[in-house]
Amino acid sequence: MIVFEGVGKRFGGRSVIDGLDLRIEDGEFFVLVGPSGSGKSTLLRMVNRLVTPDSGRILVDGDDVASVDVEQLRRGIGYAIQSVGLFPHRTVGENIATVPRLLGWSKRDIDARVDELLALLRLDDPGIADRYPRTLSGGQQQRVGVARALAARPRIVLMDEPFGALDPLTRESLQSALRTIQRDTATTILFVTHDMDEAFGLGDRVGLMLDGHLVQVGTPLELIRQPADERVREFVGGSRARLRELAIRPVRERMRNEIASGGAAVDIDASLQDALGAMLAQGRDRLRVEEKGRVVGSIALADLVERRG
Amino acid sequence: MTTDVRKAPFLPVAVLCCLGFAAVWLPFLHVAPNRLLSGVARSPHEIVLAVAWLAVAGLAWFIRSRTLAIACVSAMVVALPWLAGHDAGRLLDGAAPTSRVQTGAGFWTMWLAAGLLLLDRLRGLSLRWRAATWAAIALAVLSLAMGGAFGDIAIVREYRAQRGVFIDAFWTHVALSGTTLLLALAIGLPLGAWAWRAKRAGGVLLGVFSFLQTVPSLALFALLIGPFAWLARAWPALGALGFGGTGAAPAVFALVLYALLPVLRYTVTGLDAAPADARDAARGLGMSRWHVLARIQVPLGLPVLLSGLRIVAVQTVGLAAVASLIGAGGLGRFVFLGIGQGATDMVLLGTLAIIALAFAMDLLFQGLHALAEVRA
């Protein structure tokens, strides 16, 4: 659990963050989204004390971070950044093992954990653990960066635009890998991005930051359906926000039980956006819905448009 | 190692062969009645040398094997001093015992041309091959020297006559340079680390030392005589330790001042060698400042620092020669005394020893640099 209480920060006379309160629950995937310069990275870096707030305090699991030994605090919190920052003179395995080594794990535990993480993040080229970062692709480097952040099984992970520099395909694959790992391990993640789609796709809750203020905090649907003000509405995408909603909602919510005949099928956990895409691709207005390969119902174009709570 | 030399430019070979060929008609040796008078030019083997240079050029041009070229030029580098020694012996036959045979412009130009030619042909080969070639040449020349092949050349006679003084001066020179390097590191590394952390103040510091660097060495040595003499008078204990207006103390002080700027510069550059994002990640993952320095910045910055120290070491060996003017001793003594007496052999002996020492320092730091690169 991370709690911000009246946190403020000024850089050279300019207020970057102004009296901010926020509470992030255990096991929550919380995304801070906002344009560059809105103070979201500064807020994230306050949690592991890379930035010291001028006012207010930050509690991690009930303890004021300012009162904890700073290295101890950081070793307990995962940290991944957009530029990755791998150590160029250390192998992939050594990079991943950074924090376990600092914590004095045994060599056997470290080796086992490195293997586990390589598999988890699909870094499965043979011998990749002994290679140097410069021999890896950008996507692979970022996978190593994420693996390094997760290495010591931290309960909290801070991620500052970790996928910002990747191509869309690599980014999507890493996003879904991260989401799965987060759900399986119930890790609390504080994630910073300027990409609305990424924020809505990943976050349990999203906090929109503008000029050092959290203008709205809520689930992705709340931000789309009930924007707090005009600026939020604009940032969420105006009338196109409804398209974003399709990307968030699963087919399960809008399907009907009548079983349609013929045509292509869509999975019950796919998004409504996927369903719409499939309809457009095939020129049909109705699809079969499958759950684990069994047809359980159907979904029609009208179901996507219909307004239900 | 039989790389096709057609890929390497032929121009340097052509220029150097022309230079060597032209030098055949410069005096190879001078025969003088004693060490102070100048002598008569003698070049007993003009034809042989001219043919040898044509042969080297022809080999390099027609048979484009790098191995063969390296072997030929290496042989040339060894054969030239041997020939000089051999001819000197012949010329001294029946001459007065004070007579001296000095190597002349022809010899030096050809030897230089051969050496540069070898450097050119070795370029692009691995450090191991280059070191092996030079070591083989050094060994060959050394064994010729042991066998007395150069005994009749003036500079070797000069060495024999002043052997004790020369060896003392050599070690004094090594001690002056070594002490300077250690002190410059002891002061420069922490100061450089501080300059790196405090960017603005560090800039001022570097500016001050850049200014110091522009003060001519001789002037700085002279300027230090007053303050050091005063120090020795004010604290007699210091004077008892050999502190005074002249001698080793002010010399090392001045040499350290000159060495500090490059040490500071390369310390700062070395600390910057670790990417900022890697340092940020290291701090964010819970490394202490000390950890970041020892595990990230030092391994990544060491090659940079060592390549800088190479320059500092060579510079210090050269400047230490000037230090002999304020009584610090060292090989500079031979140079300046020789100039005073008009004894060319003595000047040459000092100069060659300084060059050899600088070259050895250069090789030493190149080796250390290669080691650090491998580890980083």
Side-chain angles (χ1 to χ4, degrees):
Chain A
M1 195 174 62
I2 311 170
V3 179
F4 297 84
E5 284 179 358
V7 169
K9 180 72 186 177
R10 306 176 73 81
F11 280 129
R14 203 177 65 88
S15 175
V16 186
I17 290 170
D18 193 12
L20 185 145
D21 296 297
L22 176 65
R23 182 189 175 94
I24 299 168
E25 301 297 337
D26 275 335
E28 186 177 20
F29 200 130
F30 191 93
V31 180
L32 277 171
V33 67
S36 43
S38 57
K40 51 196 195 306
S41 287
T42 307
L43 195 64
L44 173 129
R45 289 162 68 85
M46 282 177 180
V47 178
N48 64 357
R49 282 180 58 184
L50 287 169
V51 173
T52 314
D54 295 332
S55 57
R57 57 182 197 154
I58 296 156
L59 307 175
V60 168
D61 294 334
D63 297 320
D64 187 342
V65 293
S67 66
V68 187
D69 174 71
V70 65
E71 265 94 41
Q72 229 44 52
L73 173 79
R74 288 173 181 164
R75 287 171 198 178
I77 299 177
Y79 183 58
I81 52 179
Q82 177 175 358
S83 51
V84 195
L86 295 180
F87 309 134
H89 61 303
R90 293 194 170 185
T91 63
V92 167
E94 288 167 341
N95 265 286
I96 295 176
T98 304
V99 182
R101 268 196 193 169
L102 288 171
L103 293 171
W105 287 20
S106 75
K107 185 166 164 15
R108 225 186 48 198
D109 289 352
I110 292 177
D111 289 346
R113 180 63 178 155
V114 168
D115 288 343
E116 188 184 345
L117 284 162
L118 288 175
L120 199 60
L121 285 151
R122 276 187 258 128
L123 286 159
D124 34 22
D125 294 10
I128 197 168
D130 297 321
R131 281 165 59 186
Y132 285 90
R134 63 173 173 276
T135 67
L136 269 49
S137 70
Q140 286 176 317
Q141 290 190 12
Q142 194 51 270
R143 284 172 196 271
V144 176
V146 172
R148 184 174 64 176
L150 299 173
R153 299 193 182 87
R155 296 190 41 228
I156 295 174
V157 176
L158 308 174
M159 307 187 106
D160 192 351
E161 304 215 20
F163 309 142
L166 303 177
D167 64 85
L169 274 180
T170 313
R171 189 186 314 153
E172 260 174 45
S173 132
L174 263 165
Q175 283 168 349
S176 74
L178 180 64
R179 199 71 177 102
T180 312
I181 293 168
Q182 191 266 342
R183 288 211 178 106
D184 292 350
T185 55
T187 309
T188 310
I189 294 187
L190 175 54
F191 190 105
V192 160
T193 181
H194 61 258
D195 177 349
M196 262 298 165
D197 290 317
E198 183 168 67
F200 286 174
L202 285 175
D204 294 323
R205 279 195 305 156
V206 174
L208 176 58
M209 267 190 99
L210 294 172
D211 300 327
H213 295 274
L214 265 175
V215 285
Q216 188 170 1
V217 176
T219 64
L221 271 184
E222 283 167 359
L223 262 74
I224 292 170
R225 291 268 166 120
Q226 298 123 31
D229 59 23
E230 203 42 48
R231 289 181 305 166
V232 179
R233 185 190 306 280
E234 197 182 311
F235 204 83
V236 168
S239 58
R240 279 181 303 157
R242 293 292 166 186
L243 287 173
R244 290 222 161 91
E245 186 178 338
L246 289 181
I248 298 164
R249 289 185 178 259
V251 168
R252 184 189 293 277
E253 282 186 12
R254 297 287 181 88
M255 62 175 280
R256 45 181 96 181
N257 294 329
E258 308 154 24
I259 297 185
S261 57
V266 65
D267 192 85
I268 194 165
D269 288 318
S271 70
L272 293 175
Q273 192 180 40
D274 293 337
L276 180 61
M279 288 179 197
L280 291 172
Q282 296 174 32
R284 302 175 63 95
D285 62 359
R286 185 175 288 260
L287 298 171
R288 286 182 296 149
V289 176
E290 289 183 350
E291 187 170 18
K292 289 171 187 147
R294 210 165 48 82
V295 180
V296 290
S298 65
I299 187 161
L301 186 59
D303 300 328
L304 302 181
V305 181
E306 183 193 355
R307 297 192 77 150
R308 285 191 285 185
Chain B
M1 122 174 211
T2 46
T3 320
D4 189 354
V5 284
R6 254 167 294 205
K7 282 171 195 143
F10 188 72
L11 189 67
V13 179
V15 170
L16 288 170
C17 283
C18 283
L19 182 69
F21 187 72
V24 167
W25 285 275
L26 288 173
F28 192 66
L29 297 168
H30 292 277
V31 183
N34 63 45
R35 69 191 275 264
L36 300 181
L37 292 176
S38 53
V40 188
R42 286 288 160 77
S43 305
H45 286 107
E46 276 178 351
I47 312 284
V48 176
L49 286 169
V51 171
W53 278 109
L54 288 178
V56 168
L59 272 177
W61 178 246
F62 291 110
I63 306 172
R64 303 191 167 208
S65 145
R66 197 203 275 248
T67 320
L68 195 63
I70 289 171
C72 279
V73 180
S74 300
M76 193 103 169
V77 172
V78 177
L80 276 168
W82 172 81
L83 187 68
H86 174 77
D87 286 347
R90 300 254 301 261
L91 288 167
L92 281 179
D93 246 3
T98 54
S99 294
R100 292 234 171 161
V101 178
Q102 293 154 342
T103 40
F107 169 80
W108 290 116
T109 312
M110 278 190 261
W111 211 30
L112 184 73
L116 290 177
L117 203 51
L118 186 57
L119 267 181
D120 176 72
R121 293 293 90 179
L122 286 173
R123 215 170 40 188
L125 291 185
S126 70
L127 183 68
R128 192 184 305 172
W129 278 111
R130 280 183 288 157
T133 310
W134 286 115
I137 288 173
L139 201 69
V141 173
L142 207 66
S143 52
L144 280 175
M146 293 297 199
F150 311 130
D152 293 317
I153 298 176
I155 183 173
V156 177
R157 291 207 159 177
E158 187 73 31
Y159 165 74
R160 282 203 184 136
Q162 309 215 36
R163 194 183 163 130
V165 189
F166 176 83
I167 288 174
D168 269 358
F170 180 84
W171 287 117
T172 307
H173 207 99
V174 171
L176 280 175
S177 313
T179 314
T180 301
L181 280 182
L182 287 180
L183 281 177
L185 281 179
I187 302 166
L189 289 181
L191 209 57
W194 174 79
W196 177 77
R197 283 180 62 85
K199 305 270 178 212
R200 287 255 302 272
V204 174
L205 188 74
L206 283 175
V208 169
F209 279 98
S210 297
F211 168 73
L212 267 179
Q213 203 81 359
T214 64
V215 178
S217 51
L218 199 54
L220 186 60
F221 283 126
L223 280 175
L224 287 176
I225 293 178
F228 271 78
W230 178 81
L231 273 178
R233 273 201 308 277
W235 285 284
L238 284 178
L241 283 171
F243 235 69
T246 58
V252 167
F253 186 83
L255 289 173
V256 168
L257 283 187
Y258 282 115
L260 270 178
L261 175 71
V263 171
L264 285 176
R265 267 242 164 96
Y266 283 98
T267 307
V268 171
T269 323
L271 288 172
D272 268 333
D277 52 23
R279 292 201 305 266
D280 179 56
R283 296 287 287 151
L285 289 168
M287 286 196 188
S288 64
R289 278 190 205 292
W290 173 246
H291 272 143
V292 177
L293 183 70
R295 299 188 189 178
I296 311 292
Q297 290 181 287
V298 168
L300 287 171
L302 201 59
V304 180
L305 182 66
L306 282 172
S307 69
L309 285 184
R310 189 179 143 199
I311 295 167
V312 179
V314 171
Q315 169 196 297
T316 301
V317 167
L319 275 178
V322 184
S324 76
L325 286 177
I326 54 166
L331 292 164
R333 242 175 71 88
F334 276 73
V335 179
F336 292 114
L337 274 181
I339 292 174
Q341 297 176 6
T344 336
D345 299 333
M346 203 169 158
V347 178
L348 216 53
L349 184 61
T351 313
L352 283 181
I354 291 169
I355 293 175
L357 198 56
F359 198 65
M361 285 283 195
D362 191 70
L363 277 182
L364 173 72
F365 279 98
Q366 263 193 56
L368 289 176
H369 179 257
L371 270 181
E373 287 263 84
V374 169
R375 283 187 45 222

